[in-house]
Amino acid sequence: MHKTYGILILASFMVAGCSATQVKQANLGKIVGPQESRLILSTKNTVNVGDVMLRAGEYSKEGIKLETETFNLKDSHTTHLRHRQHTFTFSIPSGEYRLYSQNPNGSYYASEQTFSGLNGTKDGYGGLFVPNGSSNATEFYWNWNKPSNLLSAHQAELITPISGSIGKTSTVEKSRNSIPSATLTYAGVANGQVRFAYREFTDQGMARPAFTQEVALDYKPGSTYSYKSALFKVYKADLQSITFEIINPLY
């Protein structure tokens, strides 16, 4: 009687173990976009009297640097996940995983590649979860359907953490404004002063007369000048042209 009772208890634990799940709903937290910073694309410039020196949002003078944190895998891996009576097997590719979102416990890095399903498992889309202060991915998250933005996902603990390295990747985009909202034009040198004309424009590119100013600053070769948001160094200025370097663009 006692032996039979013991067998029944053991069997019940075995069933419970088989039906237990490793899979949970992912807490993706807050989506993290690339960090933007303005980047000066030009160095020294020379323009003639009457030519524009600076344009707010000018394509050739400034760009936008987009920087994203990454989790990098040197080697590919295979993971097995048990959910109720099913075992899912995925191939985790090597490469660069970009930071997608963060919660209080860590960061979710997304793969641009598909997670290939093995042994009858469908392909998945997602990435890896890395706890705060660690360079090891401890969990895997995925969605069965390819999303434009991953809003929900399944998540499961990896049997063996995957070691990687935290890094950054960056791209540079040219400024997106096609019509400048303001310009600074070189107006020559007179009486020991270097002169400029500042103009503001409407969204249609029309000059706004009330926002046109003549600017005269004491001239000294090699000096740095500021006006509005612009900061620039003047190497040489005369009656014909000016040679300068943009430090901070005109917005």
Side-chain angles (χ1 to χ4, degrees):
M1 176 69 178
H2 292 291
K3 183 177 181 181
T4 303
Y5 183 66
I7 292 173
L8 289 174
I9 292 176
L10 179 60
S12 66
F13 275 113
M14 291 176 65
V15 171
C18 290
S19 61
T21 179
Q22 295 177 310
V23 178
K24 61 184 179 181
Q25 186 72 20
N27 175 18
L28 295 174
K30 182 180 179 180
I31 294 176
V32 179
Q35 291 185 335
E36 290 191 8
S37 59
R38 290 190 178 271
L39 182 70
I40 305 304
L41 302 179
S42 61
T43 52
K44 280 189 179 181
N45 303 271
T46 299
V47 301
N48 296 323
V49 171
D51 290 341
V52 173
M53 293 174 54
L54 297 160
R55 292 183 176 87
E58 182 184 16
Y59 279 96
S60 61
K61 293 293 189 291
E62 64 174 294
I64 297 175
K65 182 179 180 181
L66 302 176
E67 192 170 66
T68 304
E69 185 175 293
T70 60
F71 182 71
N72 305 298
L73 295 187
K74 184 178 179 181
D75 302 310
S76 59
H77 298 263
T78 299
T79 185
H80 304 276
L81 310 170
R82 192 178 70 250
H83 180 60
R84 297 193 178 98
Q85 303 300 320
H86 302 284
T87 298
F88 302 127
T89 304
F90 291 103
S91 173
I92 299 178
S94 61
E96 186 178 80
Y97 291 65
R98 298 195 176 198
L99 179 63
Y100 178 75
S101 65
Q102 292 177 319
N103 67 22
N105 299 316
S107 302
Y108 289 85
Y109 295 88
S111 172
E112 294 185 357
Q113 304 179 55
T114 303
F115 290 105
S116 299
L118 307 175
N119 303 326
T121 301
K122 296 190 301 181
D123 290 350
Y125 307 88
L128 297 167
F129 174 78
V130 179
N132 292 329
S134 175
S135 60
N136 291 330
T138 58
E139 297 185 65
F140 171 77
Y141 74 98
W142 80 99
N143 196 311
W144 295 118
N145 300 312
K146 186 175 183 179
S148 55
N149 286 302
L150 192 64
L151 300 178
S152 63
H154 308 292
Q155 183 170 337
E157 185 175 351
L158 295 165
I159 296 173
T160 302
I162 297 175
S163 179
S165 61
I166 305 296
K168 288 186 178 180
T169 185
S170 61
T171 58
V172 175
E173 295 183 356
K174 293 291 185 68
S175 180
R176 302 181 185 92
N177 297 330
S178 58
I179 298 177
S181 57
T183 61
L184 192 67
T185 300
Y186 181 51
V189 173
N191 300 321
Q193 292 185 314
V194 61
R195 298 175 178 272
F196 311 96
Y198 174 78
R199 295 183 177 87
E200 291 187 4
F201 299 88
T202 66
D203 292 340
Q204 291 72 39
M206 304 295 292
R208 302 169 67 185
F211 294 91
T212 298
Q213 297 176 337
E214 299 294 328
V215 184
L217 303 171
D218 291 339
Y219 174 55
K220 183 179 179 180
S223 295
T224 299
Y225 297 88
S226 63
Y227 182 73
K228 302 289 185 179
S229 64
L231 186 66
F232 53 94
K233 182 176 182 179
V234 175
Y235 291 93
K236 179 183 177 182
D238 54 33
L239 294 175
Q240 285 75 42
S241 63
I242 184 172
T243 299
F244 65 99
E245 181 180 2
I246 303 170
I247 299 173
N248 197 61
L250 183 67
Y251 297 143

